[in-house]
Amino acid sequence: MPVIQRLFVANRGEIAVRIVRACQRLGIEAVVAVSDVDRNSLAARLATRAVCIGPAAASQSYLRAETLVAAALGSGCQAVHPGYGFLSERPAFARMCEDAGLLFVGPRAQSIEAMGEKLAAVHIAEQAGVPRVPGSDRIETIEDARRAAERIGFPLLIKANAGGGGRGMRLVHEARDLAGAIESAASEARAAFGDPMLYIEKFISLARHVEVQVLGDGKGDVVHLGERDCSTQRRYQKLIEEAPSPVIAERVRRQMTDAAVSLAAQVAYRGAGTVEFVYDPESQKFYFLEMNTRIQVEHPVTEMVTGRDLVVEQIQIAAGEPISFVQKDVELHGHAIECRINAENPARNFMPCPGRIEVWDPPPTGDRLRVDTHCYPGYVVPPHYDSLLAKLIVHSPDRSSAIRSMSEALAGFAVSGVATTIPFHRTVLAHGDFRSAAIHTRWVDQEFLPAMTAATSAAEPPQTQAAV
Amino acid sequence: MELSHDDVKKILEIVDASEHLQEIELVYGGFRLHVRRGGPGIAASSEERPASLPSSKPAAPVSTQAFPAKQPVEAPLAEGEIAIRAPMLGTFYRSPAPGDPPFVEIGKRVRADDTVCLIEVMKLFSSINAGVDGVVTRIPVENGTMVEFGQMLIVIATSP
């Protein structure tokens, strides 16, 4: 008898749909947790059953660990898949599941805990021989910060030890701004994570974000599935991801994937994980940033180039099965790009736009084009959660044809009722800097968007004249 | 591939309308519907099984009986009836402790601040009050089972 016959999906949106589909592939029943506003969600309709766990507010539904565990037990599930976000990287939730006799589809609680504390993760990386960005240990006083800054040099980044998502992060260019930045970062970190602990790292300008996908069986066996390049970001939020990275040489790729595997093996990592690096194209050096202990939003680009189903692997590993392939069987084919279609208005500073979707007509999917989504015509995007509507993924023999297919796919994606990031993606993909892979993680904020704004205001007559 | 509640209703109507049909068993994917005519009224039972199990095998221990994979179906309220709904997901208990008599029975008159049941989440018990004065007409949930957020627990006919 299979270990997992029924699996509880403790998440919503497109990833809940993705997990239900993986269950269907495995012949497992899926029970989906839904908040009051998600009762009729696509995941709920595709699943064997939906269980309403609470009102719309995430703090009273998707973030309630006790309720989710009770719902999983009460609906007869043997395993819990946390998806990404929400409780996916809370060690207490993983522990609570295992204490209740539920298999947690993810790493052991202590691995999540170790990687969640950024400095602890940096130390594990160092032990595994993975280079870190030149940086400090814990910063407890302004004096600590001054000493570290003197050694590291400016510009530097202040980061939160409990951090993530850019919160508690400050870029400091000069010594006189240091004390103020430390204070505001500490209070932001305390508010966001309940922990004001900070550390400092050298800021690598014109850097790219490159990350390695790994899978571990929890017994020491670890494989990697190549890297993803997620350098197209706005305010530290990824918008476009691709695989492989267009800028790293084969030699660097080998070093980087080796580093990721040895880091994961160091903790006998279990499940899917991502080791993130900052890559400096000028020196061709990479540095450990952090490890994410969950499935990532951008996992489909890896699935496209490797032909492997990462969510299926996650569930099988949780059931105690070995990884279904070995390293030498991992082959990378072609180039994949993913665009995140968010309900945000790029013309209005990416303001979130919840509301009713009237027209929802994605381009036809197939082997070369994939759409991961929970949306349909008439779907109401609730204001309570993140604004991700869909992930559009293309796969082509090479990067330039992938850019071409993505541009066509975006042009053929009709949505009305809510504003989306589709127009933003179309302009980025048409930009020479993106096409020549000359961008860096601050490119959208510092170069692309300011130039767009300037072009728009030059094209429109000034308000005063229009009013006359 | 999936049978909706309406589909099942239609099948039952067809069976009901045909005079010669005594019993049918319908297997559709992971779904089994067994309808038998005769005895006291019509007995209908249906269950969902994991698609991977062959139809002759009984359901796995951790499966359909104790933990239905079905959505709870609600009967509509009559005029003057009010439903007490679960303010949280948890386990529904009709009595203060195992072996104790239930807080309420069908036909019992309750006052707004009377406790009518308990809901437990991870050993934390919450008392649920009637909220209105009236008479208990229905208790559509079985003692000790999981209830969802917003699920109908107890129906009360309010006094005119």
Side-chain angles (χ1 to χ4, degrees), chain A residues 1-2 5-6 24 27 29 36 39 45-55 66-67 69-78 96, chain B residues 2 48-53 60-64 66-72 87-91 120-122 146-151:
Chain A
M1 192 169 65
Q5 291 165 290
R6 200 178 284 172
Q24 289 170 342
E29 295 182 319
D36 205 21
R39 281 179 189 269
R45 288 197 260 157
L46 293 172
T48 310
R49 175 180 177 180
V51 173
C52 188
I53 49 164
E66 292 87 351
T67 302
V69 170
L73 292 171
S75 55
C77 293
Q78 296 89 36
M96 202 182 284
Chain B
E2 282 185 6
E48 284 198 33
R49 300 174 287 105
S52 53
L53 288 177
V62 185
S63 200
T64 52
F67 308 105
K70 290 176 294 190
Q71 226 62 24
M88 68 199 74
L89 177 144
T91 308
E120 180 239 318
V121 191
M122 308 290 272
M146 183 187 76
V147 291
E148 301 182 20
F149 172 76
Q151 189 175 335

Side-chain angles (χ1 to χ4, degrees), chain A residues 406-428:
Chain A
M406 180 57 91
S407 305
E408 282 165 18
L410 288 164
F413 200 149
V415 184
S416 79
V418 295
T420 73
T421 46
I422 291 173
F424 166 85
H425 288 300
R426 294 184 68 184
T427 355
V428 170

Side-chain angles (χ1 to χ4, degrees), chain B residues 64-142:
Chain B
T64 52
Q65 256 71 43
F67 308 105
K70 290 176 294 190
Q71 226 62 24
V73 181
E74 277 187 10
L77 295 173
E79 212 181 306
E81 282 188 332
I82 281 174
I84 302 169
R85 292 183 181 277
M88 68 199 74
L89 177 144
T91 308
F92 171 83
Y93 290 109
R94 287 189 54 193
S95 50
D100 282 6
F103 291 107
V104 292
E105 295 283 5
I106 291 171
K108 190 189 165 175
R109 180 162 289 280
V110 291
R111 309 203 52 128
D113 52 5
D114 287 350
T115 297
V116 291
C117 61
L118 300 176
I119 293 182
E120 180 239 318
V121 191
M122 308 290 272
K123 312 274 181 271
L124 196 75
F125 290 83
S126 306
S127 316
I128 310 302
N129 290 347
V132 287
D133 293 357
V135 174
V136 175
T137 56
R138 261 191 288 155
I139 306 175
V141 183
E142 269 189 57

Side-chain angles (χ1 to χ4, degrees), chain A residues 11 18 38 54 173 204 209 219 271 273 285 289 315 333 344 357-358:
Chain A
N11 213 303
R18 173 74 186 86
D38 284 339
H173 289 277
I204 297 164
H209 175 111
K219 294 156 196 153
K285 279 188 176 159
L289 198 58
I315 296 170
H333 293 288
E344 291 170 5
I357 295 176
E358 278 151 23

Side-chain angles (χ1 to χ4, degrees), chain A residues 4-79:
Chain A
I4 304 173
Q5 291 165 290
R6 200 178 284 172
L7 179 142
F8 190 77
V9 183
N11 213 303
R12 64 175 306 281
E14 67 86 21
I15 195 64
V17 174
R18 173 74 186 86
I19 298 164
V20 172
R21 294 211 194 277
C23 288
Q24 289 170 342
R25 273 190 77 170
L26 288 165
I28 292 174
E29 295 182 319
V31 176
V32 173
V34 291
S35 74
D36 205 21
V37 288
D38 284 339
R39 281 179 189 269
N40 296 312
S41 71
L42 187 57
R45 288 197 260 157
L46 293 172
T48 310
R49 175 180 177 180
V51 173
C52 188
I53 49 164
S59 60
Q60 293 178 65
S61 49
Y62 299 107
L63 288 170
R64 280 260 162 109
E66 292 87 351
T67 302
L68 291 161
V69 170
L73 292 171
S75 55
C77 293
Q78 296 89 36

